[in-house]
Amino acid sequence: MSGTAEMSLEEVIRQALPLVLPDEEERRKAKEAEEELKKRLEEVVKPPLEFRFLGSYARNTWLKGSLEIDVFILFPEDTPKEELEQKGLEIGKAVVDEYELRYAAHPYVHGRVKGVEVDVVPCYRLRSPEKIKSAVDRTPFHHEWLKDRVKGKENDVRLLKSFLKAGGIYGAEYKVRGFSGYLCELLIVFYGSFIDVVRNAVKWTRNTVIDVAGGKVYRKKGLENILVIDPVDEKRNVAANLSVDNLARFVERCRDFLESPAIDFFIPEKPKVPDVEVLREELERRAIYAVEFEKPDIVEDNLYPQLERACKRVHEFLERNGFMPLRSSFFAGSKCYLFFEVGVRELSAILKRIGPPFEEEEHVKKFLRKRRKYAAFIEGGRYWVYSERSYISAREAIEDFIRKEWKSMGKNVGEMLSKGFKVLKGVELLEFEDPVFLASFMALSRKLRG
């Protein structure tokens, strides 16, 4: 890379730092909340229990405007799970000003202390990560591995998080399926800086393996997506929740940034509401359908996998029945939607089924014995027969399939579909609640969940 490009990169980084670094007011607020929280915890957490501040706040890698303090309550290894959950919730409720229950491996308390968001999470105090009973039990080991190695690189972690967040690919939750905060920190520790992560990422493929503890990168045939080996648990892929599409988006983003460095890569793009007439014109000439139904009252990390499952089931059904689905996706807002675009709105009333070649006498006899509405005929040296299609219209096919197969579409999503849904088609979708998502689905813009 030329010296001019190097200077340009350095200048962009200098401009980006104020966007990612917490200011003095945010740091003061954080310290006050930490001290108050610590005081409250000391009153209610007694031996053999202990509490520890972990996560991005404890390691000073949190992103400006995204302050959240994570406190883990460590229980002895022999504590019954029910007791851990019950006592963990009691402690959480006692130390925050207001709270709501959230769910990971165990239910935990999310709340506020002096206006700062706080998570109070129970876990087991273990001697080795090999003995973990749930995913959150790894967190203390992650912190121990990172806390000294990440020192001096905190701002590089922030730059990477901001770079990802602006591209809509930061966060390992199922709604995003992007890069977790822990993965960001590991990448910075492994490569040394934000710029070095970007320069190396342009060479990543779905066969890439990054062995963080072993200090090596290699390729392994047969992988469906990148593998980042957890330094505290070599059997775990830290990038397991990252979708291959978001991997591709990150690699593309890195290529674009190196080619044309700009501060815009650290600023989330404001969604542009598409022109209604452009949407109308596209919807009129294309075969786009959306299944609308009530949103189940479940956490997002349970909802999104079920929506994905339902979407896949309908997509495969449309494929099997000759409607040539081009693309499918899903959306959860005030209601839930399954989106499909097909290449064929309506099929002919009959289809042509293949039979045996004329040389296979026994197979031919069996084929001809079957009673059918249409007579078999020979073409190209083999037998064929017409049969009536089960479905002619894509819309009717979608409706019928969901009515019959809702049980296979995820417990909660399936139950909601069984209670009622409607299939919107074409210009009916102009009333859809998120026109930006709709434009993205139609490839009129590039914003779409990964």
Side-chain angles (χ1 to χ4, degrees):
M1 193 171 284
S2 68
T4 307
E6 288 284 356
M7 287 298 293
S8 179
L9 275 173
E10 290 171 7
E11 180 56 35
V12 169
I13 297 304
R14 277 197 296 273
Q15 291 177 22
L17 278 171
L19 300 177
V20 305
L21 275 169
D23 57 27
E24 286 305 311
E25 173 61 19
E26 189 172 353
R27 289 183 182 278
R28 181 194 61 75
K29 194 175 174 185
K31 197 65 186 169
E32 284 182 5
E34 180 193 352
E35 288 171 0
E36 177 63 26
L37 182 56
K38 189 175 180 182
K39 187 170 73 177
R40 296 179 189 181
L41 285 162
E42 285 170 346
E43 290 175 5
V44 294
V45 178
K46 304 297 181 185
L49 307 188
E50 63 176 284
F51 67 85
R52 294 181 64 190
F53 288 88
L54 305 176
S56 61
Y57 174 70
R59 293 189 294 274
N60 188 30
T61 58
W62 87 90
L63 197 54
K64 181 178 183 177
S66 300
L67 173 62
E68 186 172 277
I69 298 176
D70 295 326
V71 179
F72 278 65
I73 312 299
L74 281 74
F75 286 74
E77 193 174 345
D78 59 357
T79 307
K81 183 183 175 186
E82 296 75 18
E83 184 183 331
L84 175 142
E85 291 182 0
Q86 182 187 343
K87 192 114 183 165
L89 292 178
E90 286 174 5
I91 291 169
K93 292 173 186 178
V95 298
V96 297
D97 298 328
E98 55 189 75
Y99 73 87
E100 63 180 63
L101 298 187
R102 292 188 177 175
Y103 298 86
H106 314 293
Y108 66 94
V109 168
H110 174 82
R112 289 179 178 274
V113 173
K114 297 182 81 66
V116 173
E117 290 193 50
V118 172
D119 283 340
V120 184
V121 183
C123 72
Y124 287 102
R125 181 174 56 245
L126 305 172
R127 295 187 204 89
S128 164
E130 293 173 4
K131 296 184 176 181
I132 67 160
K133 299 183 181 185
S134 68
V136 293
D137 296 337
R138 283 195 196 94
T139 307
F141 295 100
H142 288 166
H143 181 75
E144 287 303 310
W145 196 91
L146 277 171
K147 66 178 184 180
D148 294 327
R149 291 175 172 88
V150 83
K151 278 180 182 169
K153 302 179 176 71
E154 293 92 343
N155 291 345
D156 285 283
V157 173
R158 290 183 168 108
L159 287 166
L160 179 55
K161 288 180 177 180
S162 179
F163 184 78
L164 292 162
K165 191 173 182 180
I169 52 176
Y170 177 60
E173 62 271 24
Y174 212 94
K175 180 180 181 179
V176 180
R177 295 196 66 193
F179 291 70
S180 68
Y182 178 54
L183 178 54
C184 290
E185 294 191 38
L186 288 181
L187 291 172
I188 294 298
V189 168
F190 184 81
Y191 285 108
S193 70
F194 165 70
I195 288 298
D196 286 317
V197 170
V198 171
R199 284 184 178 136
N200 282 278
V202 297
K203 302 188 286 283
W204 289 355
T205 72
R206 71 191 79 203
N207 295 320
T208 296
V209 178
I210 301 173
D211 183 352
V212 177
K216 57 188 177 182
V217 180
Y218 56 94
R219 291 190 182 175
K220 184 178 179 181
K221 284 184 179 179
L223 291 181
E224 293 182 1
N225 202 359
I226 191 168
L227 168 59
V228 181
I229 299 172
D230 192 333
V232 305
D233 182 354
E234 62 181 22
K235 294 175 184 174
R236 177 174 179 260
N237 179 10
V238 182
N241 283 3
L242 174 65
S243 71
V244 71
D245 288 348
N246 280 337
L247 170 66
R249 290 182 181 105
F250 177 61
V251 171
E252 177 190 57
R253 195 168 177 78
C254 291
R255 289 170 183 159
D256 292 346
F257 180 68
L258 291 175
E259 191 174 316
S260 304
I263 192 67
D264 293 347
F265 283 91
F266 299 90
I267 302 169
E269 187 181 342
K270 289 182 181 174
K272 292 176 185 156
V273 178
D275 183 270
V276 175
E277 288 311 308
V278 172
L279 282 179
R280 181 186 298 279
E281 184 183 333
E282 290 291 320
L283 287 166
E284 283 174 347
R285 68 194 192 95
R286 292 163 65 175
I288 296 174
Y289 304 87
V291 180
E292 178 189 88
F293 58 99
E294 292 300 318
K295 185 177 178 180
D297 185 18
I298 55 175
V299 296
E300 286 187 340
D301 269 10
N302 287 339
L303 173 62
Y304 281 89
Q306 292 185 42
L307 290 173
E308 184 176 61
R309 177 184 173 86
C311 211
K312 186 180 178 185
R313 293 277 289 128
V314 177
H315 184 105
E316 290 172 347
F317 164 77
L318 290 169
E319 209 162 40
R320 287 195 305 274
N321 283 273
F323 291 101
M324 296 174 60
L326 307 176
R327 197 178 196 188
S328 57
S329 191
F330 50 89
F331 177 88
S334 61
K335 292 186 177 182
C336 287
Y337 297 83
L338 308 176
F339 276 84
F340 307 94
E341 180 166 13
V342 298
V344 182
R345 274 194 191 91
E346 289 199 354
L347 294 161
S348 62
I350 59 170
L351 59 82
K352 187 178 177 184
R353 294 195 184 279
I354 191 169
F358 74 90
E359 294 92 344
E360 297 178 3
E361 184 177 356
E362 288 306 313
H363 289 140
V364 168
K365 286 179 179 176
K366 188 177 178 183
F367 185 76
L368 295 177
R369 273 200 299 267
K370 289 184 181 176
R371 295 186 66 180
R372 298 184 176 93
K373 181 175 180 179
Y374 298 98
F377 57 92
I378 296 172
E379 185 177 279
R382 71 185 312 140
Y383 287 81
W384 298 83
V385 69
Y386 289 139
S387 67
E388 292 184 317
R389 292 185 188 274
S390 301
Y391 303 101
I392 295 172
S393 152
R395 187 178 201 161
E396 289 173 7
I398 292 168
E399 289 171 344
D400 192 58
F401 181 71
I402 292 174
R403 275 194 293 267
K404 290 176 178 174
E405 298 293 331
W406 59 267
K407 286 183 180 177
S408 68
M409 298 183 186
K411 181 179 186 299
N412 311 95
V413 164
E415 284 174 1
M416 282 298 175
L417 286 166
S418 74
K419 292 175 183 175
F421 63 89
K422 61 180 177 179
V423 178
L424 306 174
K425 175 189 172 187
V427 292
E428 294 170 351
L429 285 162
L430 288 173
E431 302 301 316
F432 174 61
E433 61 186 87
D434 191 337
V436 174
F437 177 91
L438 179 59
S440 173
F441 178 76
M442 297 164 71
L444 300 174
S445 77
R446 295 196 66 189
K447 291 272 180 189
L448 185 63
R449 171 199 41 75

